[in-house]
Every structure is written in C-alpha cells, then in structure tokens.
Amino acid sequence: MASPKEVREITGYTVGSVSIVLSLPCIVDRGLFRYPFIYGGTGEPTSTLKIIPSALEKLNQVVAYLD
C-alpha cells in the first residue's frame, strides 16, 4: 500500500480524491463489469464520476485484471 505522500507524488491527487481515470498502468477488477455504472474519484474532493465499466477500461492503461 502506498502512503498518502506516495499517492500524492505518483498521482498528483490526495488520498480520497484520486481520479479513476489516470495515465498510469492499472489493474481492473472484473467484478465491476456486472454493474451498469460505477462511481469513482475525479481528482476533486467534492466531485464523483459516474461511468460505465467498459469506458473505464478504454480510458485507462489496463495491464491486468482481477477475477
């Protein structure tokens, strides 16, 4: 697990508001695909992004999946 300082240094966001769309390699949990929409961070502490899982997959650099 990354420390809050490491999260900020790597993503540019504070813990709790990290965007779910990043220009970093990521791992996607396949369980997300059972939902019509998922919600996640935008980088702004007071905003949430509603997105379909397949769009999240397309917008990120997916390097692996969790089953």
Side-chain angles (χ1 to χ4, degrees):
M1 292 290 245
S3 70
K5 181 181 177 187
E6 291 170 321
V7 170
R8 177 75 164 169
E9 289 173 355
I10 294 168
T11 68
Y13 303 109
T14 59
V15 171
S17 63
V18 175
S19 177
I20 61 171
V21 177
L22 291 168
S23 59
L24 296 171
C26 69
I27 299 170
V28 173
D29 186 330
R30 289 188 199 273
L32 296 175
F33 294 97
R34 67 180 156 197
Y35 301 106
F37 298 100
I38 54 175
Y39 300 84
T42 62
E44 296 293 326
T46 58
S47 298
T48 302
L49 177 65
K50 177 182 177 182
I51 190 169
I52 60 174
S54 60
L56 179 72
E57 182 182 33
K58 289 177 186 172
L59 292 169
N60 282 299
Q61 298 175 18
V62 179
V63 295
Y65 292 89
L66 293 175
D67 290 317

Short mmCIF file of all heavy atoms in Angstrom, two decimals:
data_model
loop_
_atom_site.label_atom_id
_atom_site.label_comp_id
_atom_site.label_asym_id
_atom_site.label_seq_id
_atom_site.Cartn_x
_atom_site.Cartn_y
_atom_site.Cartn_z
N MET A 1 0.84 -1.18 0.00
CA MET A 1 0.00 0.00 0.00
C MET A 1 0.88 1.24 0.00
O MET A 1 1.88 1.31 0.70
CB MET A 1 -0.88 0.01 1.24
CG MET A 1 -1.93 -1.06 1.25
SD MET A 1 -3.16 -0.71 0.03
CE MET A 1 -4.56 -0.45 1.02
N ALA A 2 0.46 2.20 -0.76
CA ALA A 2 1.19 3.47 -0.82
C ALA A 2 0.79 4.36 0.35
O ALA A 2 -0.37 4.36 0.77
CB ALA A 2 0.88 4.17 -2.13
N SER A 3 1.73 5.11 0.83
CA SER A 3 1.44 6.09 1.88
C SER A 3 0.73 7.29 1.24
O SER A 3 0.79 7.47 0.01
CB SER A 3 2.74 6.55 2.54
OG SER A 3 3.48 7.35 1.62
N PRO A 4 0.05 8.11 2.03
CA PRO A 4 -0.58 9.31 1.47
C PRO A 4 0.40 10.18 0.69
O PRO A 4 0.06 10.73 -0.37
CB PRO A 4 -1.13 10.03 2.69
CG PRO A 4 -1.43 8.93 3.65
CD PRO A 4 -0.29 7.94 3.44
N LYS A 5 1.62 10.28 1.18
CA LYS A 5 2.64 11.08 0.48
C LYS A 5 2.97 10.46 -0.88
O LYS A 5 3.08 11.17 -1.88
CB LYS A 5 3.90 11.18 1.34
CG LYS A 5 4.99 12.02 0.72
CD LYS A 5 6.23 12.07 1.59
CE LYS A 5 7.33 12.85 0.88
NZ LYS A 5 8.58 12.82 1.60
N GLU A 6 3.12 9.14 -0.92
CA GLU A 6 3.42 8.45 -2.18
C GLU A 6 2.27 8.59 -3.17
O GLU A 6 2.50 8.79 -4.37
CB GLU A 6 3.71 6.97 -1.92
CG GLU A 6 5.01 6.72 -1.19
CD GLU A 6 5.15 5.29 -0.73
OE1 GLU A 6 4.17 4.68 -0.28
OE2 GLU A 6 6.28 4.77 -0.81
N VAL A 7 1.04 8.50 -2.68
CA VAL A 7 -0.13 8.67 -3.56
C VAL A 7 -0.09 10.04 -4.20
O VAL A 7 -0.27 10.19 -5.41
CB VAL A 7 -1.44 8.46 -2.77
CG1 VAL A 7 -2.65 8.87 -3.61
CG2 VAL A 7 -1.57 7.02 -2.33
N ARG A 8 0.15 11.06 -3.42
CA ARG A 8 0.20 12.44 -3.92
C ARG A 8 1.33 12.60 -4.94
O ARG A 8 1.15 13.21 -5.99
CB ARG A 8 0.38 13.40 -2.75
CG ARG A 8 0.51 14.83 -3.13
CD ARG A 8 -0.80 15.37 -3.54
NE ARG A 8 -0.73 16.83 -3.54
CZ ARG A 8 -1.65 17.59 -4.04
NH1 ARG A 8 -2.73 17.05 -4.51
NH2 ARG A 8 -1.52 18.86 -4.03
N GLU A 9 2.50 12.06 -4.64
CA GLU A 9 3.65 12.19 -5.53
C GLU A 9 3.43 11.47 -6.87
O GLU A 9 3.81 11.97 -7.92
CB GLU A 9 4.91 11.63 -4.87
CG GLU A 9 5.43 12.48 -3.74
CD GLU A 9 6.58 11.83 -2.97
OE1 GLU A 9 6.93 10.66 -3.26
OE2 GLU A 9 7.12 12.50 -2.08
N ILE A 10 2.80 10.30 -6.83
CA ILE A 10 2.62 9.49 -8.03
C ILE A 10 1.44 9.94 -8.87
O ILE A 10 1.53 10.01 -10.10
CB ILE A 10 2.49 7.99 -7.66
CG1 ILE A 10 3.82 7.50 -7.07
CG2 ILE A 10 2.08 7.15 -8.86
CD1 ILE A 10 3.75 6.15 -6.41
N THR A 11 0.31 10.25 -8.22
CA THR A 11 -0.91 10.57 -8.97
C THR A 11 -1.18 12.06 -9.09
O THR A 11 -1.92 12.48 -9.97
CB THR A 11 -2.14 9.93 -8.31
OG1 THR A 11 -2.40 10.57 -7.04
CG2 THR A 11 -1.98 8.44 -8.14
N GLY A 12 -0.64 12.84 -8.16
CA GLY A 12 -0.95 14.27 -8.13
C GLY A 12 -2.21 14.58 -7.35
O GLY A 12 -2.62 15.74 -7.27
N TYR A 13 -2.84 13.56 -6.79
CA TYR A 13 -4.08 13.73 -6.04
C TYR A 13 -3.89 13.30 -4.59
O TYR A 13 -3.05 12.47 -4.29
CB TYR A 13 -5.21 12.88 -6.64
CG TYR A 13 -5.49 13.18 -8.08
CD1 TYR A 13 -5.14 12.26 -9.08
CD2 TYR A 13 -6.09 14.36 -8.47
CE1 TYR A 13 -5.41 12.52 -10.42
CE2 TYR A 13 -6.37 14.63 -9.80
CZ TYR A 13 -6.02 13.71 -10.76
OH TYR A 13 -6.29 13.98 -12.08
N THR A 14 -4.75 13.83 -3.73
CA THR A 14 -4.72 13.41 -2.33
C THR A 14 -5.54 12.14 -2.17
O THR A 14 -6.46 11.87 -2.96
CB THR A 14 -5.29 14.50 -1.40
OG1 THR A 14 -6.63 14.79 -1.79
CG2 THR A 14 -4.46 15.76 -1.44
N VAL A 15 -5.23 11.36 -1.14
CA VAL A 15 -5.98 10.15 -0.84
C VAL A 15 -7.45 10.54 -0.65
O VAL A 15 -7.76 11.52 0.01
CB VAL A 15 -5.42 9.46 0.43
CG1 VAL A 15 -6.33 8.34 0.88
CG2 VAL A 15 -4.01 8.96 0.18
N GLY A 16 -8.34 9.77 -1.27
CA GLY A 16 -9.77 10.04 -1.17
C GLY A 16 -10.32 10.80 -2.36
O GLY A 16 -11.53 10.88 -2.54
N SER A 17 -9.44 11.35 -3.18
CA SER A 17 -9.93 12.06 -4.37
C SER A 17 -9.13 11.69 -5.63
O SER A 17 -9.16 12.41 -6.61
CB SER A 17 -9.90 13.57 -4.15
OG SER A 17 -8.59 14.03 -3.93
N VAL A 18 -8.47 10.56 -5.60
CA VAL A 18 -7.70 10.11 -6.76
C VAL A 18 -8.67 9.80 -7.91
O VAL A 18 -9.67 9.12 -7.72
CB VAL A 18 -6.86 8.86 -6.43
CG1 VAL A 18 -6.17 8.31 -7.67
CG2 VAL A 18 -5.84 9.17 -5.35
N SER A 19 -8.38 10.31 -9.07
CA SER A 19 -9.21 10.08 -10.24
C SER A 19 -9.17 8.61 -10.65
O SER A 19 -8.11 7.97 -10.57
CB SER A 19 -8.72 10.94 -11.40
OG SER A 19 -9.47 10.69 -12.56
N ILE A 20 -10.32 8.08 -11.10
CA ILE A 20 -10.33 6.69 -11.58
C ILE A 20 -9.88 6.61 -13.03
O ILE A 20 -9.73 5.51 -13.57
CB ILE A 20 -11.71 6.02 -11.39
CG1 ILE A 20 -12.80 6.73 -12.16
CG2 ILE A 20 -12.04 5.88 -9.94
CD1 ILE A 20 -14.13 5.99 -12.17
N VAL A 21 -9.63 7.74 -13.65
CA VAL A 21 -9.05 7.78 -15.00
C VAL A 21 -7.67 8.41 -14.85
O VAL A 21 -7.54 9.58 -14.53
CB VAL A 21 -9.93 8.60 -15.97
CG1 VAL A 21 -9.27 8.67 -17.33
CG2 VAL A 21 -11.32 8.00 -16.07
N LEU A 22 -6.64 7.60 -15.03
CA LEU A 22 -5.26 8.04 -14.84
C LEU A 22 -4.40 7.64 -16.03
O LEU A 22 -4.72 6.69 -16.74
CB LEU A 22 -4.66 7.39 -13.59
CG LEU A 22 -5.21 7.81 -12.25
CD1 LEU A 22 -4.71 6.87 -11.16
CD2 LEU A 22 -4.79 9.23 -11.94
N SER A 23 -3.30 8.32 -16.19
CA SER A 23 -2.34 7.94 -17.24
C SER A 23 -1.25 7.05 -16.64
O SER A 23 -0.09 7.21 -16.94
CB SER A 23 -1.75 9.18 -17.88
OG SER A 23 -1.10 9.96 -16.91
N LEU A 24 -1.68 6.13 -15.79
CA LEU A 24 -0.77 5.17 -15.15
C LEU A 24 -1.28 3.76 -15.44
O LEU A 24 -2.49 3.55 -15.61
CB LEU A 24 -0.78 5.37 -13.63
CG LEU A 24 -0.26 6.68 -13.10
CD1 LEU A 24 -0.55 6.78 -11.61
CD2 LEU A 24 1.23 6.80 -13.34
N PRO A 25 -0.40 2.77 -15.49
CA PRO A 25 -0.87 1.39 -15.63
C PRO A 25 -1.79 1.06 -14.45
O PRO A 25 -1.55 1.48 -13.32
CB PRO A 25 0.42 0.57 -15.57
CG PRO A 25 1.51 1.52 -15.93
CD PRO A 25 1.06 2.86 -15.43
N CYS A 26 -2.86 0.33 -14.74
CA CYS A 26 -3.79 -0.02 -13.66
C CYS A 26 -4.29 -1.45 -13.80
O CYS A 26 -4.15 -2.08 -14.84
CB CYS A 26 -4.95 0.96 -13.61
SG CYS A 26 -6.06 0.84 -15.01
N ILE A 27 -4.88 -1.92 -12.73
CA ILE A 27 -5.48 -3.25 -12.66
C ILE A 27 -6.98 -3.05 -12.47
O ILE A 27 -7.39 -2.26 -11.64
CB ILE A 27 -4.89 -4.06 -11.48
CG1 ILE A 27 -3.39 -4.23 -11.68
CG2 ILE A 27 -5.59 -5.40 -11.33
CD1 ILE A 27 -2.67 -4.79 -10.47
N VAL A 28 -7.79 -3.76 -13.26
CA VAL A 28 -9.24 -3.63 -13.18
C VAL A 28 -9.84 -4.91 -12.61
O VAL A 28 -9.49 -6.01 -13.05
CB VAL A 28 -9.84 -3.34 -14.58
CG1 VAL A 28 -11.36 -3.38 -14.54
CG2 VAL A 28 -9.37 -2.00 -15.09
N ASP A 29 -10.73 -4.75 -11.66
CA ASP A 29 -11.46 -5.88 -11.08
C ASP A 29 -12.61 -6.23 -12.03
O ASP A 29 -13.46 -5.39 -12.31
CB ASP A 29 -12.00 -5.48 -9.71
CG ASP A 29 -12.64 -6.64 -8.97
OD1 ASP A 29 -13.18 -7.55 -9.62
OD2 ASP A 29 -12.62 -6.61 -7.73
N ARG A 30 -12.63 -7.45 -12.53
CA ARG A 30 -13.67 -7.86 -13.48
C ARG A 30 -15.07 -7.80 -12.86
O ARG A 30 -16.07 -7.70 -13.57
CB ARG A 30 -13.41 -9.27 -13.99
CG ARG A 30 -12.22 -9.36 -14.93
CD ARG A 30 -12.15 -10.76 -15.54
NE ARG A 30 -10.84 -11.04 -16.09
CZ ARG A 30 -10.47 -10.73 -17.33
NH1 ARG A 30 -11.29 -10.10 -18.12
NH2 ARG A 30 -9.26 -11.04 -17.75
N GLY A 31 -15.15 -7.82 -11.54
CA GLY A 31 -16.44 -7.71 -10.86
C GLY A 31 -17.15 -6.40 -11.16
O GLY A 31 -18.37 -6.31 -11.04
N LEU A 32 -16.40 -5.38 -11.58
CA LEU A 32 -17.02 -4.09 -11.92
C LEU A 32 -17.95 -4.20 -13.12
O LEU A 32 -18.90 -3.43 -13.25
CB LEU A 32 -15.94 -3.05 -12.22
CG LEU A 32 -15.02 -2.67 -11.08
CD1 LEU A 32 -13.93 -1.72 -11.57
CD2 LEU A 32 -15.81 -2.04 -9.94
N PHE A 33 -17.72 -5.17 -13.99
CA PHE A 33 -18.49 -5.29 -15.22
C PHE A 33 -19.91 -5.82 -14.99
O PHE A 33 -20.71 -5.83 -15.91
CB PHE A 33 -17.74 -6.16 -16.24
CG PHE A 33 -16.48 -5.50 -16.72
CD1 PHE A 33 -15.25 -5.83 -16.16
CD2 PHE A 33 -16.52 -4.52 -17.70
CE1 PHE A 33 -14.09 -5.21 -16.58
CE2 PHE A 33 -15.37 -3.89 -18.14
CZ PHE A 33 -14.15 -4.24 -17.57
N ARG A 34 -20.22 -6.22 -13.78
CA ARG A 34 -21.60 -6.68 -13.51
C ARG A 34 -22.54 -5.51 -13.22
O ARG A 34 -23.74 -5.69 -13.12
CB ARG A 34 -21.62 -7.68 -12.36
CG ARG A 34 -21.24 -7.11 -11.03
CD ARG A 34 -21.29 -8.15 -9.95
NE ARG A 34 -20.41 -7.70 -8.87
CZ ARG A 34 -19.96 -8.46 -7.93
NH1 ARG A 34 -20.29 -9.73 -7.91
NH2 ARG A 34 -19.19 -7.98 -7.00
N TYR A 35 -21.97 -4.31 -13.10
CA TYR A 35 -22.77 -3.12 -12.81
C TYR A 35 -22.95 -2.27 -14.06
O TYR A 35 -22.02 -2.15 -14.86
CB TYR A 35 -22.08 -2.27 -11.73
CG TYR A 35 -21.86 -3.02 -10.45
CD1 TYR A 35 -20.59 -3.45 -10.09
CD2 TYR A 35 -22.92 -3.29 -9.60
CE1 TYR A 35 -20.38 -4.14 -8.91
CE2 TYR A 35 -22.72 -3.98 -8.42
CZ TYR A 35 -21.45 -4.41 -8.08
OH TYR A 35 -21.25 -5.10 -6.91
N PRO A 36 -24.12 -1.65 -14.21
CA PRO A 36 -24.31 -0.78 -15.37
C PRO A 36 -23.45 0.49 -15.28
O PRO A 36 -23.00 1.00 -16.30
CB PRO A 36 -25.80 -0.44 -15.35
CG PRO A 36 -26.26 -0.73 -13.98
CD PRO A 36 -25.32 -1.77 -13.41
N PHE A 37 -23.23 0.97 -14.08
CA PHE A 37 -22.40 2.15 -13.84
C PHE A 37 -21.56 1.93 -12.60
O PHE A 37 -21.96 1.21 -11.69
CB PHE A 37 -23.26 3.41 -13.59
CG PHE A 37 -24.12 3.78 -14.75
CD1 PHE A 37 -25.46 3.44 -14.77
CD2 PHE A 37 -23.60 4.47 -15.83
CE1 PHE A 37 -26.27 3.77 -15.84
CE2 PHE A 37 -24.39 4.82 -16.91
CZ PHE A 37 -25.73 4.46 -16.91
N ILE A 38 -20.40 2.58 -12.57
CA ILE A 38 -19.58 2.61 -11.35
C ILE A 38 -19.27 4.08 -11.07
O ILE A 38 -19.41 4.94 -11.94
CB ILE A 38 -18.28 1.78 -11.51
CG1 ILE A 38 -17.49 2.22 -12.74
CG2 ILE A 38 -18.62 0.30 -11.56
CD1 ILE A 38 -16.15 1.53 -12.89
N TYR A 39 -18.88 4.35 -9.86
CA TYR A 39 -18.61 5.72 -9.43
C TYR A 39 -17.21 5.78 -8.82
O TYR A 39 -16.80 4.87 -8.13
CB TYR A 39 -19.64 6.15 -8.38
CG TYR A 39 -21.05 6.12 -8.90
CD1 TYR A 39 -21.78 4.93 -8.90
CD2 TYR A 39 -21.65 7.26 -9.40
CE1 TYR A 39 -23.08 4.89 -9.39
CE2 TYR A 39 -22.94 7.23 -9.89
CZ TYR A 39 -23.65 6.04 -9.88
OH TYR A 39 -24.93 6.00 -10.38
N GLY A 40 -16.51 6.86 -9.09
CA GLY A 40 -15.17 6.98 -8.55
C GLY A 40 -14.70 8.41 -8.52
O GLY A 40 -15.40 9.34 -8.94
N GLY A 41 -13.48 8.58 -8.06
CA GLY A 41 -12.90 9.90 -7.90
C GLY A 41 -12.63 10.61 -9.22
O GLY A 41 -12.48 10.00 -10.28
N THR A 42 -12.59 11.94 -9.11
CA THR A 42 -12.33 12.79 -10.28
C THR A 42 -11.07 13.62 -10.10
O THR A 42 -10.66 14.32 -11.02
CB THR A 42 -13.48 13.77 -10.49
OG1 THR A 42 -13.56 14.63 -9.35
CG2 THR A 42 -14.80 13.06 -10.72
N GLY A 43 -10.50 13.58 -8.92
CA GLY A 43 -9.38 14.46 -8.60
C GLY A 43 -9.84 15.66 -7.78
O GLY A 43 -9.03 16.36 -7.20
N GLU A 44 -11.14 15.89 -7.76
CA GLU A 44 -11.73 16.96 -6.95
C GLU A 44 -12.43 16.33 -5.76
O GLU A 44 -13.26 15.43 -5.94
CB GLU A 44 -12.76 17.75 -7.78
CG GLU A 44 -12.16 18.48 -8.96
CD GLU A 44 -11.23 19.60 -8.52
OE1 GLU A 44 -11.49 20.24 -7.49
OE2 GLU A 44 -10.24 19.84 -9.23
N PRO A 45 -12.13 16.77 -4.54
CA PRO A 45 -12.71 16.14 -3.35
C PRO A 45 -14.23 16.15 -3.28
O PRO A 45 -14.83 15.32 -2.62
CB PRO A 45 -12.13 16.93 -2.18
CG PRO A 45 -11.04 17.76 -2.73
CD PRO A 45 -11.21 17.84 -4.21
N THR A 46 -14.88 17.08 -3.97
CA THR A 46 -16.34 17.20 -3.88
C THR A 46 -17.07 16.68 -5.12
O THR A 46 -18.26 16.89 -5.25
CB THR A 46 -16.74 18.66 -3.64
OG1 THR A 46 -16.22 19.46 -4.71
CG2 THR A 46 -16.20 19.17 -2.31
N SER A 47 -16.37 16.01 -6.01
CA SER A 47 -16.99 15.51 -7.25
C SER A 47 -16.76 14.02 -7.41
O SER A 47 -15.74 13.48 -7.00
CB SER A 47 -16.39 16.21 -8.47
OG SER A 47 -16.63 17.58 -8.42
N THR A 48 -17.74 13.37 -8.03
CA THR A 48 -17.67 11.94 -8.33
C THR A 48 -17.99 11.72 -9.80
O THR A 48 -18.84 12.40 -10.36
CB THR A 48 -18.68 11.16 -7.46
OG1 THR A 48 -18.41 11.42 -6.08
CG2 THR A 48 -18.61 9.67 -7.69
N LEU A 49 -17.31 10.77 -10.41
CA LEU A 49 -17.54 10.43 -11.81
C LEU A 49 -18.40 9.18 -11.90
O LEU A 49 -18.09 8.16 -11.29
CB LEU A 49 -16.21 10.18 -12.52
CG LEU A 49 -16.28 9.74 -13.98
CD1 LEU A 49 -16.88 10.85 -14.84
CD2 LEU A 49 -14.90 9.36 -14.48
N LYS A 50 -19.48 9.25 -12.67
CA LYS A 50 -20.32 8.09 -12.99
C LYS A 50 -19.92 7.64 -14.39
O LYS A 50 -19.92 8.43 -15.33
CB LYS A 50 -21.79 8.50 -12.97
CG LYS A 50 -22.74 7.40 -13.35
CD LYS A 50 -24.17 7.92 -13.34
CE LYS A 50 -25.16 6.88 -13.78
NZ LYS A 50 -26.55 7.44 -13.82
N ILE A 51 -19.54 6.37 -14.53
CA ILE A 51 -19.02 5.88 -15.80
C ILE A 51 -19.39 4.42 -15.98
O ILE A 51 -19.58 3.68 -15.00
CB ILE A 51 -17.48 6.08 -15.83
CG1 ILE A 51 -16.89 5.83 -17.21
CG2 ILE A 51 -16.79 5.26 -14.77
CD1 ILE A 51 -15.43 6.27 -17.34
N ILE A 52 -19.54 4.00 -17.23
CA ILE A 52 -19.77 2.57 -17.48
C ILE A 52 -18.42 1.85 -17.44
O ILE A 52 -17.40 2.41 -17.84
CB ILE A 52 -20.52 2.33 -18.81
CG1 ILE A 52 -19.75 2.85 -20.00
CG2 ILE A 52 -21.92 2.92 -18.76
CD1 ILE A 52 -20.37 2.50 -21.34
N PRO A 53 -18.40 0.64 -16.90
CA PRO A 53 -17.13 -0.06 -16.75
C PRO A 53 -16.33 -0.20 -18.03
O PRO A 53 -15.10 -0.08 -18.01
CB PRO A 53 -17.54 -1.42 -16.20
CG PRO A 53 -18.80 -1.15 -15.47
CD PRO A 53 -19.51 -0.11 -16.29
N SER A 54 -16.97 -0.43 -19.16
CA SER A 54 -16.22 -0.59 -20.41
C SER A 54 -15.52 0.71 -20.81
O SER A 54 -14.44 0.68 -21.39
CB SER A 54 -17.13 -1.07 -21.54
OG SER A 54 -18.17 -0.14 -21.78
N ALA A 55 -16.11 1.86 -20.47
CA ALA A 55 -15.46 3.15 -20.76
C ALA A 55 -14.24 3.33 -19.85
O ALA A 55 -13.20 3.81 -20.30
CB ALA A 55 -16.43 4.30 -20.56
N LEU A 56 -14.37 2.92 -18.60
CA LEU A 56 -13.23 2.99 -17.69
C LEU A 56 -12.07 2.15 -18.23
O LEU A 56 -10.92 2.58 -18.24
CB LEU A 56 -13.63 2.49 -16.30
CG LEU A 56 -12.52 2.50 -15.26
CD1 LEU A 56 -12.20 3.93 -14.84
CD2 LEU A 56 -12.91 1.67 -14.07
N GLU A 57 -12.41 0.98 -18.75
CA GLU A 57 -11.41 0.08 -19.32
C GLU A 57 -10.72 0.72 -20.52
O GLU A 57 -9.50 0.63 -20.68
CB GLU A 57 -12.10 -1.21 -19.71
CG GLU A 57 -11.20 -2.27 -20.28
CD GLU A 57 -11.99 -3.51 -20.68
OE1 GLU A 57 -13.16 -3.38 -21.12
OE2 GLU A 57 -11.41 -4.59 -20.57
N LYS A 58 -11.47 1.41 -21.37
CA LYS A 58 -10.91 2.03 -22.56
C LYS A 58 -10.06 3.25 -22.25
O LYS A 58 -9.09 3.55 -22.95
CB LYS A 58 -12.03 2.43 -23.52
CG LYS A 58 -12.71 1.26 -24.18
CD LYS A 58 -13.85 1.70 -25.05
CE LYS A 58 -14.61 0.50 -25.58
NZ LYS A 58 -15.82 0.88 -26.28
N LEU A 59 -10.43 3.98 -21.20
CA LEU A 59 -9.74 5.23 -20.88
C LEU A 59 -8.45 5.04 -20.08
O LEU A 59 -7.64 5.96 -19.98
CB LEU A 59 -10.67 6.16 -20.09
CG LEU A 59 -11.86 6.71 -20.89
CD1 LEU A 59 -12.85 7.38 -19.97
CD2 LEU A 59 -11.37 7.66 -21.96
N ASN A 60 -8.28 3.88 -19.48
CA ASN A 60 -7.11 3.60 -18.67
C ASN A 60 -6.15 2.65 -19.37
O ASN A 60 -6.51 1.96 -20.31
CB ASN A 60 -7.52 3.02 -17.31
CG ASN A 60 -8.03 4.06 -16.38
OD1 ASN A 60 -7.32 5.00 -16.02
ND2 ASN A 60 -9.28 3.94 -15.97
N GLN A 61 -4.93 2.61 -18.87
CA GLN A 61 -3.90 1.68 -19.37
C GLN A 61 -3.98 0.39 -18.56
O GLN A 61 -3.22 0.18 -17.62
CB GLN A 61 -2.51 2.30 -19.22
CG GLN A 61 -2.29 3.56 -20.00
CD GLN A 61 -0.93 4.16 -19.68
OE1 GLN A 61 -0.03 3.50 -19.16
NE2 GLN A 61 -0.77 5.44 -19.99
N VAL A 62 -4.92 -0.46 -18.90
CA VAL A 62 -5.14 -1.69 -18.15
C VAL A 62 -4.01 -2.67 -18.46
O VAL A 62 -3.75 -2.99 -19.62
CB VAL A 62 -6.50 -2.32 -18.48
CG1 VAL A 62 -6.70 -3.62 -17.71
CG2 VAL A 62 -7.63 -1.34 -18.18
N VAL A 63 -3.33 -3.13 -17.41
CA VAL A 63 -2.23 -4.07 -17.59
C VAL A 63 -2.57 -5.45 -17.05
O VAL A 63 -1.87 -6.42 -17.34
CB VAL A 63 -0.93 -3.56 -16.92
CG1 VAL A 63 -0.44 -2.29 -17.61
CG2 VAL A 63 -1.11 -3.34 -15.45
N ALA A 64 -3.65 -5.54 -16.26
CA ALA A 64 -4.06 -6.84 -15.70
C ALA A 64 -5.49 -6.73 -15.17
O ALA A 64 -6.01 -5.63 -15.00
CB ALA A 64 -3.12 -7.26 -14.57
N TYR A 65 -6.09 -7.90 -14.94
CA TYR A 65 -7.44 -7.97 -14.41
C TYR A 65 -7.46 -8.85 -13.17
O TYR A 65 -6.74 -9.84 -13.10
CB TYR A 65 -8.39 -8.57 -15.45
CG TYR A 65 -8.60 -7.68 -16.65
CD1 TYR A 65 -7.76 -7.77 -17.74
CD2 TYR A 65 -9.63 -6.76 -16.67
CE1 TYR A 65 -7.93 -6.94 -18.85
CE2 TYR A 65 -9.82 -5.93 -17.78
CZ TYR A 65 -8.97 -6.03 -18.86
OH TYR A 65 -9.15 -5.21 -19.94
N LEU A 66 -8.31 -8.50 -12.23
CA LEU A 66 -8.57 -9.34 -11.06
C LEU A 66 -9.86 -10.09 -11.31
O LEU A 66 -10.82 -9.52 -11.81
CB LEU A 66 -8.73 -8.49 -9.80
CG LEU A 66 -7.52 -7.75 -9.29
CD1 LEU A 66 -7.90 -6.87 -8.11
CD2 LEU A 66 -6.41 -8.71 -8.90
N ASP A 67 -9.87 -11.36 -10.97
CA ASP A 67 -11.10 -12.14 -11.15
C ASP A 67 -11.82 -12.30 -9.83
O ASP A 67 -11.32 -12.25 -8.79
CB ASP A 67 -10.77 -13.53 -11.71
CG ASP A 67 -10.32 -13.42 -13.16
OD1 ASP A 67 -10.95 -12.66 -13.91
OD2 ASP A 67 -9.35 -14.09 -13.52
#
